[in-house]
C-alpha cells in the first residue's frame, strides 16, 4: 500500500489523503484528533508539519499505545482519556484548533481483538465496550425486554427483521444466557436468511448493539455541537463516517451551520435570522468518497463518507475561548 495511505503497524487510516487535503496541515498549527484509535491520523499529521496534536480516546488501550507515539514526536502529541463528545472539557486549555478530525465507529484494533467482543468473526466475550466501563452487550442482550431489543436493532442497526431477532434472543436466553459473540452471531444466522454473498446476517445486529452500548450517536451529536465552536478562524472540521445513521447527522448539522438548511435542532446552534451570515462554510456540498485505489487496497473504506466544514475567517471576533485559554499547553505526553 502507498505510504500516504498507511500510517502504522498495518493500520490504514481511511481516506487519509482527503483528510490531509481538507485540514491543510501547516507548521505551527494545532490539531485535534478526536478518535485516536491506532494513532493513524495523529501520526501522519505530526509527520506532515511541525505542528501540535491533541488526541482523544475513551479506550485505555489506545491511550497506552499513544504514549510511545508521543515520545517519538518530542511531546507534540498530547493524549486525553475520554470521549470526543466531551472534547470541550478535555481540550479546553488547548483550543482554538486549526483542524479537528473524527473517524467514527470501531477501530481496527478493537475489531481484531476477539476479547473485546466487537466482531462476529472472532469468538470472545460479548462485551463491545470501548471504554471497558458500563453495561456490556451481554447485559443488554440478557436483560432488556423483547420490545427494547427490537427497537435497538431497528433504530441503530436499521435491521428490518428486528422483531424476529429480538424474539429469538429472548427465547434462547431463557435456556442459556448469552456470553460470547459466537453464540449471538450463530443465533442471528439461524434466524435470518443470508441476503447476499459476502454479507453476514449478524452485521446489523452487532452494529446496533455496539452503538447502543457506547452511546455512539449521542457522542456524535455532542461533538457536532461543540467542535465547530472550537475551530480557529479558517480552521476545518472533518468527519469520516461509515453508515447512514452517522452520515445523516453529520450532513444535517453541517448544512445548518453553513446556512443551507433551516429547521430547529436542540443539538446545533441556529442562525439568528435568514439575513445573518453563517460563521461556517461547507468545503463541498456532496461527501468526499474514497479513491478507486483505496477501494482496491483498503476494504474498510468501501462505505466511508467524508464531510468537512470550515470556519470563515471574517468571524474571528466571535471565538468563544479567551486568548489565554488558547495559548495553554500540556506537558509532553500528558494524559488528561
Amino acid at each position: 500500500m502507498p505510504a500516504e495511505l498507511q500510517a502504522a503497524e498495518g493500520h490504514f487510516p481511511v481516506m487519509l489523503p482527503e483528510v490531509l487535503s481538507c485540514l491543510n496541515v501547516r507548521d505551527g498549527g494545532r490539531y485535534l484528533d478526536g478518535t485516536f484509535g491506532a494513532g493513524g491520523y495523529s501520526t501522519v499529521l505530526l509527520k506532515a508539519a511541525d505542528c501540535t496534536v491533541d488526541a482523544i480516546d475513551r479506550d485505555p488501550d489506545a491511550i497506552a499505545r499513544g504514549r510511545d507515539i508521543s515520545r517519538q514526536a518530542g511531546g507534540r502529541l498530547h493524549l486525553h482519556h475520554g470521549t470526543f463528545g466531551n472534547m470541550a472539557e478535555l481540550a479546553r486549555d488547548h483550543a482554538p484548533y486549526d483542524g479537528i478530525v473524527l473517524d467514527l465507529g470501531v477501530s481496527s484494533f478493537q475489531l481484531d481483538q476477539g476479547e473485546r467482543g466487537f466482531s462476529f468473526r472472532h469468538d470472545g466475550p460479548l462485551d463491545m465496550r470501548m471504554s471497558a466501563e458500563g453495561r456490556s452487550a451481554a447485559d443488554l442482550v440478557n436483560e432488556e425486554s423483547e420490545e427494547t431489543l427490537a427497537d435497538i436493532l431497528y433504530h441503530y442497526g436499521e435491521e428490518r427483521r428486528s422483531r424476529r431477532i429480538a424474539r429469538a434472543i429472548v427465547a434462547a436466553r431463557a435456556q442459556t444466557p448469552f456470553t460470547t459473540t459466537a453464540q449471538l452471531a450463530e443465533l442471528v444466522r439461524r434466524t435470518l436468511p443470508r441476503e447476499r454473498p459476502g454479507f453476514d446476517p449478524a452485521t446489523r445486529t452487532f452494529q446496533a448493539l455496539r452503538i447502543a452500548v457506547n452511546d455512539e450517536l449521542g457522542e456524535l451529536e455532542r461533538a457536532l455541537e461543540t467542535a465547530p465552536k472550537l475551530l480557529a478562524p479558517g480552521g476545518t472540521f472533518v468527519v469520516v463516517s461509515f453508515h447512514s445513521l452517522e452520515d445523516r447527522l453529520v450532513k444535517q448539522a453541517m448544512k445548518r451551520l453553513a446556512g443551507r438548511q433551516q429547521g430547529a435542532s436542540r443539538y446545533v446552534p441556529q442562525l439568528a435570522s435568514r439575513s445573518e451570515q453563517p460563521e461556517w462554510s461547507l468545503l463541498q456540498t456532496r461527501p468526499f468518497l474514497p479513491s478507486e485505489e483505496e477501494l482496491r487496497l483498503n476494504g474498510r473504506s468501501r462505505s466511508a463518507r467524508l464531510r468537512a466544514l470550515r470556519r470563515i475567517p471574517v468571524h474571528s471576533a466571535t471565538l468563544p475561548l479567551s486568548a489565554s485559554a488558547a495559548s495553554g499547553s500540556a506537558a509532553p505526553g500528558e494524559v488528561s
Side-chain angles (χ1 to χ4, degrees):
M1 175 170 284
E4 65 270 18
L5 295 179
Q6 181 174 357
E9 299 182 4
H11 175 70
F12 309 118
V14 172
M15 299 188 69
L16 180 58
E18 292 80 6
V19 168
L20 289 175
S21 176
C22 290
L23 291 178
N24 191 26
V25 186
R26 60 176 178 79
D27 290 347
R30 183 178 286 278
Y31 302 90
L32 175 62
D33 180 355
T35 49
F36 181 70
Y41 288 140
S42 291
T43 298
V44 175
L45 290 173
L46 292 164
K47 290 179 178 178
D50 185 16
C51 61
T52 303
V53 176
D54 287 287
I56 295 172
D57 206 291
R58 59 165 55 172
D59 188 339
D61 291 346
I63 294 297
R65 287 193 299 268
R67 291 192 177 96
D68 284 339
I69 299 176
S70 180
R71 284 192 290 269
Q72 294 168 12
R76 292 186 293 129
L77 172 66
H78 309 305
L79 302 165
H80 306 270
H81 184 208
T83 62
F84 61 73
N86 194 33
M87 65 174 69
E89 180 66 26
L90 293 172
R92 64 190 305 175
D93 295 333
H94 300 172
Y97 291 98
D98 298 294
I100 299 173
V101 60
L102 299 179
D103 176 9
L104 303 177
V106 65
S107 75
S108 299
F109 273 101
Q110 290 166 333
L111 282 174
D112 292 340
Q113 295 175 327
E115 64 271 20
R116 300 298 300 273
F118 286 99
S119 176
F120 46 79
R121 294 188 176 92
H122 305 286
D123 192 19
L126 187 56
D127 195 322
M128 300 192 192
R129 294 173 296 176
M130 293 181 179
S131 63
E133 297 177 346
R135 298 181 76 195
S136 68
D139 292 330
L140 295 184
V141 168
N142 290 317
E143 297 171 6
E144 293 295 347
S145 68
E146 180 179 325
E147 180 180 4
T148 298
L149 287 173
D151 286 344
I152 289 172
L153 300 183
Y154 182 78
H155 291 294
Y156 296 153
E158 299 181 295
E159 175 56 74
R160 292 172 296 172
R161 299 179 179 90
S162 61
R163 294 191 182 280
R164 184 189 302 182
I165 299 171
R167 187 161 52 248
I169 288 174
V170 171
R173 77 188 188 191
Q175 304 300 320
T176 305
F178 287 88
T179 58
T180 70
T181 55
Q183 277 180 281
L184 180 61
E186 286 304 317
L187 177 132
V188 177
R189 291 167 187 148
R190 292 195 306 269
T191 304
L192 300 183
R194 186 171 289 273
E195 295 181 12
R196 59 183 183 272
F199 182 82
D200 194 302
T203 300
R204 287 188 286 261
T205 294
F206 272 65
Q207 172 187 302
L209 290 171
R210 191 200 77 222
I211 290 174
V213 165
N214 297 288
D215 187 26
E216 291 181 31
L217 297 186
E219 291 297 329
L220 177 57
E221 288 163 343
R222 289 184 280 276
L224 290 170
E225 178 184 12
T226 303
K229 295 181 286 188
L230 296 180
L231 291 173
T236 306
F237 178 35
V238 176
V239 182
V240 180
S241 61
F242 293 90
H243 57 74
S244 59
L245 295 175
E246 297 170 338
D247 184 57
R248 190 178 304 122
L249 286 173
V250 176
K251 174 184 176 180
Q252 292 173 348
M254 289 188 174
K255 286 182 69 175
R256 279 193 293 266
L257 286 166
R260 290 177 172 268
Q261 179 174 315
Q262 298 296 321
S265 170
R266 64 193 178 96
Y267 298 114
V268 181
Q270 298 296 303
L271 300 180
S273 69
R274 290 182 179 271
S275 62
E276 182 180 346
Q277 290 299 309
E279 197 170 338
W280 296 271
S281 64
L282 301 174
L283 265 65
Q284 184 170 292
T285 55
R286 294 181 178 274
F288 294 85
L289 302 178
S291 66
E292 290 296 327
E293 180 182 27
E294 180 162 5
L295 288 172
R296 180 173 59 86
L297 297 171
N298 185 6
R300 183 176 177 243
S301 69
R302 66 184 181 276
S303 60
R305 299 290 183 270
L306 184 155
R307 296 185 187 273
L309 185 78
R310 180 159 292 160
R311 188 163 201 170
I312 300 172
V314 71
H315 290 281
S316 59
T318 65
L319 275 173
L321 298 168
S322 68
S324 59
S327 63
S329 60
E334 176 184 351
V335 179
S336 61

